[in-house]
Amino acid sequence: IAGITQAPTSQILAAGRRMTLRCTQDMRHNAMYWYRQDLGLGLRLIHYSNTAGTTGKGEVPDGYSVSRANTDDFPLTLASAVPSQTSVYFCASSRLGGYNEQFFGPGTRLTVL
Amino acid sequence: AQTVTQSQPEMSVQEAETVTLSCTYDTSENNYYLFWYKQPPSRQMILVIRQEAYKQQNATENRFSVNFQKAAKSFSLKISDSQLGDTAMYFCAFKNSGNTPLVFGKGTRLSVIA
């Protein structure tokens, strides 16, 4: 089934640990995105990539890094997790161009203790 | 930077009635795109409807329609004949004409009551 997969579905992590959230899409979309969703704050952009080999910072990039080695994969890494990074993380992808819909993965619920 | 404001954190509506969710945005661009996404309890983000700013005609998708007022920078969503399955968070989102990501509002939680 075409779409976006994210792993893990949920994770509990000790503060200070390193964590990579995985995202893979099979729609051959050029653009990919990472958002975090927090109650009362909506979805906020962390990082994005318009094509393999390039990345850009979003609204809340501190504490996160990304890489885009190929079209399909866009992992998000927390180098040293902190409790404020407890959130639901969504990966999304789209064709380039303003009218194109962003498709979202099912999300990863991350709890940092 | 563009901002999107949803002034109604929560709303409720009786089944079969009509409800309107508000959204305003701020931009200096002339050409852009607006979207409404739905997030049911399953957490999945689902596109409901979208509008191109250069089109004067309001978009419609079955029971969902928008009232796009470009001068007022307003983009409200009307849901007609509300159904229990419409219970969800609704997010308004803005996108420039270039290759920029969506900017989301904080959402409106809609409850449809039987």
Side-chain angles (χ1 to χ4, degrees):
Chain A
I1 298 176
I4 301 176
T5 58
Q6 291 185 237
T9 301
S10 66
Q11 182 76 43
I12 299 174
L13 189 67
R17 296 297 294 269
R18 180 184 180 89
M19 177 73 191
T20 295
L21 307 185
R22 299 183 298 279
C23 174
T24 299
Q25 54 104 357
D26 63 2
M27 296 176 281
R28 307 304 293 172
H29 287 164
N30 290 103
M32 296 188 75
Y33 317 88
W34 275 105
Y35 293 88
R36 59 176 289 173
Q37 182 178 13
D38 302 288
L39 192 64
L41 297 178
L43 281 83
R44 294 179 293 168
L45 183 69
I46 305 171
H47 285 288
Y48 67 97
S49 168
N50 280 342
T51 189
T54 69
T55 62
K57 293 182 179 180
E59 180 185 353
V60 289
D62 294 344
Y64 305 94
S65 64
V66 292
S67 62
R68 186 88 184 276
N70 57 61
T71 297
D72 299 343
D73 301 300
F74 192 43
L76 176 73
T77 297
L78 290 67
S80 179
V82 295
S84 62
Q85 292 178 311
T86 293
S87 187
V88 177
Y89 291 86
F90 286 96
C91 180
S93 72
S94 73
R95 291 191 178 95
L96 292 173
Y99 191 66
N100 290 304
E101 174 185 357
Q102 278 186 202
F103 293 85
F104 285 81
T108 293
R109 181 177 294 278
L110 181 67
T111 302
V112 182
L113 301 176
Chain B
Q2 285 78 19
T3 58
V4 178
T5 302
Q6 294 180 250
S7 59
Q8 306 148 315
E10 294 187 19
M11 296 188 72
S12 61
V13 63
Q14 290 290 133
E15 197 175 7
E17 296 295 309
T18 296
V19 64
T20 298
L21 280 58
S22 300
C23 173
T24 58
Y25 56 92
D26 185 26
T27 184
S28 59
E29 302 290 329
N30 187 52
N31 193 24
Y32 48 86
Y33 305 89
L34 295 160
F35 302 77
W36 278 98
Y37 277 83
K38 168 185 177 181
Q39 186 182 43
S42 66
R43 203 166 73 188
Q44 184 65 45
M45 293 286 288
I46 303 164
L47 178 66
V48 174
I49 197 166
R50 54 186 156 179
Q51 174 84 37
E52 297 160 270
Y54 63 85
K55 287 191 175 179
Q56 292 186 339
Q57 185 173 5
N58 288 324
T60 300
E61 291 285 345
N62 301 313
R63 297 183 295 107
F64 298 88
S65 61
V66 298
N67 183 4
F68 174 48
Q69 301 290 328
K70 190 172 184 178
K73 296 181 182 176
S74 172
F75 184 61
S76 60
L77 175 69
K78 185 172 81 171
I79 305 174
S80 304
D81 185 25
S82 297
Q83 300 175 359
L84 296 177
D86 296 333
T87 292
M89 282 289 290
Y90 286 83
F91 292 99
C92 180
F94 172 99
K95 191 172 187 182
N96 274 330
S97 59
N99 298 322
T100 55
L102 287 172
V103 176
F104 285 89
K106 294 182 179 180
T108 296
R109 183 177 301 279
L110 177 67
S111 297
V112 180
I113 303 166

